[in-house]
Amino acid sequence: MNPKALNRRQMMTSGVRMAAGVALASLTRNRTLAAQQLPAPEPLQDRRITFVTTTEANAWQTGALFKPTFSWELLNLNVDPAQTTKTASSIQGFGGCFNELGWTSLQALREQDRETVLRELFDPVVGARFNYCRMPIGANDFATEAYSYDETDGDFDLKHFSIAHDQQALVPFIRSAQRYQPKLRLWASPWSPPTWMKRNHFYAEAKAYPGMKENGIRPDQIGHEGEDMFIQEPRYYDAYARYFGRFIDAYRAEGIEIGMVMPQNEFNSAQNFPSCTWTARGLASFLRYLGPEMKKRDVEVFFGTLERGDPKLFEAVMTDQEAAPFIKGLGVQWAGKNALPAIRREFPSLSVYQSEQECGEGKNSWSYTGYCWQLMKHYFRHGASAYMYWNISTDRGGMSTWGWPQNSLVSVDPATKTFRYNHDYYLLKHLTHFVDLGATLLETTGTCDDVLAFLNPNGTVILLLRNELPRSELIQVQVKDRSLAIELPPDSVGTLATMSA
């Protein structure tokens, strides 16, 4: 068949498209030729500069440094050490949570390997340099079982208070870390009060979710968000505040100082593991008792942990004239991150801790580590001064006592007595190995904006960068009067450390 004849408009349109295609092909060819004619970047050797990169396949590799260069796709990043961010806070520390299953998993390793892990995590020089960690007051969801320090019904005098259970895992876990980091700081929060202080007289407040371990809770014991499951009476407030005090005292007797407490982990969440829901008003009432008890021991009180995106939950407590003076800061995790910008604007003088990084589903995937990078940027850009991971170590698969698989920094295979550092560990190490106590967040400008920049007290500028693309990125970095180029591998994170002058 003869092709259909084209009218004038179709012929003109076709001609324009052909001309555009020829022009684009010519432009692309010319650009490719121009790129080929550019001199290759010249390697830079400077011992004052450290550049480390991590990809899914290759962790903690020495990165490529170049002298200032040019390419068509060059990104630029400018940092002025004198320009801190408007929300900048002095860094107070980094770490994870001491959970019982963290210690039992490490106990499956040979002693030499266990010490290797502890040194890598806590030594102040060689590894992640953890210096500020969290711990539970009683059982949490990664405890070996549900327990508190006093399960004797009606023991308002706390005559039966004891931390004997903690001698099995938490105390030796913390002491082992202290051997490598003697200046380790700690803060603590409960997941559940003693059951006799709760309206349902049970450690949990929800039935097991599908696929998780049954906990034996009755329908009449179910708790709900927005209600106080702690018994709202003065004698219970008083006894619970003294319970916190006895906890501080008992750990001091073990040589373990705890410098800050939060009144409740995730106070909105009724869970199938140890948990306790509170209203903001109920927490404010308790803080009037907890504050003075902690002040006697020179222990700070933070509000939290906030796991909902409603800033009014915090604002309601801060309007209580008796409770508010005791609150020195705020712990934020999970959906609480969505309330952080508003809270930071309203209460700029309060310290903000990222109190628990979201924990995934036990797969420890590289893609989830990419999500964790987004979390890290959000928290630091909105004033976080401390950043805590959740599980330090778990058995392979990360299963909790109640049947929830979660990620961890270290995975242990008990059958083979081997371990591995997971992707999240290397992301965190890219931050903690380089950023010192007292560092502040810096402003950055340029076409490379997937970055966090810090100024250490000694004048070192730390740049933590992410390249999400499936190809390498060449970035020209200007730090005050110093200029250089770095190459980020495909789908990678990297840290550049350089003196500002």
Side-chain angles (χ1 to χ4, degrees):
M1 293 181 59
N2 293 329
K4 185 178 179 180
L6 300 178
N7 61 35
R8 180 181 295 179
R9 176 174 294 179
Q10 290 172 326
M11 291 179 64
M12 290 178 65
T13 301
S14 177
V16 168
R17 287 176 178 170
M18 290 179 61
V22 171
L24 179 60
S26 177
L27 178 62
T28 302
R29 183 171 60 255
N30 291 340
R31 185 172 176 180
T32 302
L33 290 172
Q36 292 173 349
Q37 293 170 359
L38 290 173
E42 186 178 349
L44 173 65
Q45 303 294 331
D46 191 333
R47 294 183 179 180
R48 299 169 299 174
I49 302 172
T50 301
F51 181 43
V52 179
T53 66
T54 291
T55 65
E56 181 176 11
N58 296 293
W60 212 253
Q61 302 293 304
T62 299
L65 295 173
F66 302 99
K67 294 179 181 179
T69 186
F70 173 81
S71 77
W72 291 107
E73 297 179 344
L74 183 72
L75 297 179
N76 73 301
L77 173 60
N78 307 306
V79 185
D80 183 348
Q83 298 297 317
T84 58
T85 64
K86 294 179 181 179
T87 58
S89 296
S90 178
I91 294 298
Q92 298 185 36
F94 308 111
C97 187
F98 289 108
N99 294 327
E100 286 194 299
L101 295 190
W103 184 244
T104 58
S105 63
L106 291 175
Q107 286 295 98
L109 297 175
R110 299 175 183 85
E111 181 179 1
Q112 182 177 352
D113 289 338
R114 182 168 60 252
E115 293 302 314
T116 295
V117 171
L118 291 167
R119 181 171 181 264
E120 173 69 14
L121 292 171
F122 294 100
D123 188 281
V125 177
V126 300
R129 308 193 306 163
F130 285 175
N131 48 40
Y132 200 179
C133 287
R134 179 184 187 181
M135 65 172 297
I137 301 175
N140 63 9
D141 49 320
F142 272 74
T144 56
E145 60 181 340
Y147 73 96
S148 79
Y149 301 130
D150 189 344
E151 280 299 312
T152 301
D153 194 7
D155 186 17
F156 290 99
D157 292 330
L158 304 178
K159 293 179 180 179
H160 298 277
F161 181 95
S162 172
I163 65 164
H165 183 103
D166 289 4
Q167 300 287 354
Q168 303 169 45
L170 289 181
V171 170
F173 195 178
I174 295 169
R175 282 178 173 166
S176 296
Q178 286 178 321
R179 291 203 313 272
Y180 293 96
Q181 177 49 277
K183 295 181 180 180
L184 180 68
R185 298 172 63 202
L186 292 165
W187 67 271
S189 68
W191 268 243
S192 174
T195 58
W196 57 273
M197 295 184 182
K198 298 179 66 178
R199 287 168 42 209
N200 68 348
H201 294 274
F202 198 71
Y203 69 87
E205 294 188 13
K207 291 180 64 64
Y209 305 113
M212 297 176 73
K213 181 181 177 181
E214 293 295 333
N215 58 15
I217 194 170
R218 303 190 310 265
D220 63 301
Q221 293 176 312
I222 300 294
H224 302 91
E225 181 171 353
E227 66 178 344
D228 287 301
M229 290 299 285
F230 187 88
I231 299 172
Q232 302 291 294
E233 296 179 13
R235 63 175 180 163
Y236 284 90
Y237 291 142
D238 176 67
Y240 197 31
R242 288 185 286 108
Y243 178 91
F244 272 71
R246 292 286 296 273
F247 163 76
I248 298 295
D249 296 343
Y251 266 86
R252 280 182 176 171
E254 298 292 335
I256 298 172
E257 289 286 337
I258 297 160
M260 181 269 282
V261 296
M262 298 188 197
Q264 173 64 46
N265 178 72
E266 297 184 351
F267 64 90
N268 290 286
S269 297
Q271 302 281 17
N272 68 312
F273 46 79
S275 52
C276 186
T277 54
W278 296 72
T279 64
R281 179 175 295 181
L283 280 173
S285 298
F286 174 53
L287 286 165
R288 298 172 201 154
Y289 291 80
L290 179 62
E293 199 68 28
M294 294 298 97
K295 189 174 182 180
K296 294 176 186 176
R297 295 165 172 82
D298 197 27
V299 173
E300 289 188 334
V301 176
F302 276 36
F303 181 81
T305 60
L306 180 65
E307 90 286 25
R308 293 289 185 266
D310 183 2
K312 293 180 180 179
L313 292 168
F314 182 58
E315 293 166 0
V317 176
M318 294 302 289
T319 60
D320 187 300
Q321 295 183 357
E322 291 184 64
F326 295 112
I327 299 174
K328 306 303 180 185
L330 171 69
V332 181
Q333 58 194 53
W334 291 87
K337 63 181 177 288
N338 300 318
L340 180 55
I343 291 173
R344 186 66 177 166
R345 286 192 300 270
E346 188 170 354
F347 305 98
S349 64
L350 290 180
S351 295
V352 172
Y353 288 3
Q354 185 285 122
S355 45
E356 177 185 313
Q357 182 177 286
E358 298 170 32
C359 53
E361 300 175 343
K363 297 178 181 179
N364 294 294
S365 67
W366 177 251
S367 62
Y368 197 83
T369 298
Y371 170 67
C372 293
W373 161 247
Q374 299 298 329
L375 292 177
M376 190 178 287
K377 282 196 304 182
H378 175 81
Y379 278 102
F380 284 114
R381 288 179 177 180
H382 291 96
S385 58
Y387 198 92
M388 278 79 185
Y389 198 79
W390 174 226
N391 283 302
I392 291 175
S393 175
T394 63
D395 287 348
R396 187 175 60 179
M399 190 65 70
S400 77
T401 298
W402 285 268
W404 182 8
Q406 298 181 9
N407 292 353
S408 59
L409 299 176
V410 178
S411 289
V412 174
D413 185 340
T416 60
K417 299 184 182 298
T418 57
F419 70 92
R420 72 169 186 270
Y421 299 111
N422 293 319
H423 298 309
D424 281 2
Y425 171 70
Y426 287 104
L427 171 62
L428 197 56
K429 184 178 177 181
H430 269 279
L431 172 78
T432 65
H433 183 76
F434 296 100
V435 178
D436 296 335
L437 295 178
T440 54
L441 191 69
L442 296 173
E443 294 280 6
T444 64
T445 60
T447 50
C448 175
D449 61 359
D450 209 1
V451 61
L452 288 170
F454 297 88
L455 178 66
N456 280 336
N458 67 358
T460 305
V461 172
I462 308 299
L463 301 177
L464 182 56
L465 308 104
R466 170 84 167 115
N467 175 22
E468 293 184 340
L469 298 176
R471 57 176 174 79
S472 296
E473 282 277 22
L474 194 62
I475 303 168
Q476 190 111 306
V477 179
Q478 186 76 35
V479 180
K480 203 172 181 180
D481 298 327
R482 175 172 293 173
S483 182
L484 69 150
I486 60 174
E487 184 177 39
L488 275 175
D491 193 10
S492 67
V493 294
T495 304
L496 177 72
T498 178
M499 293 300 293
S500 61

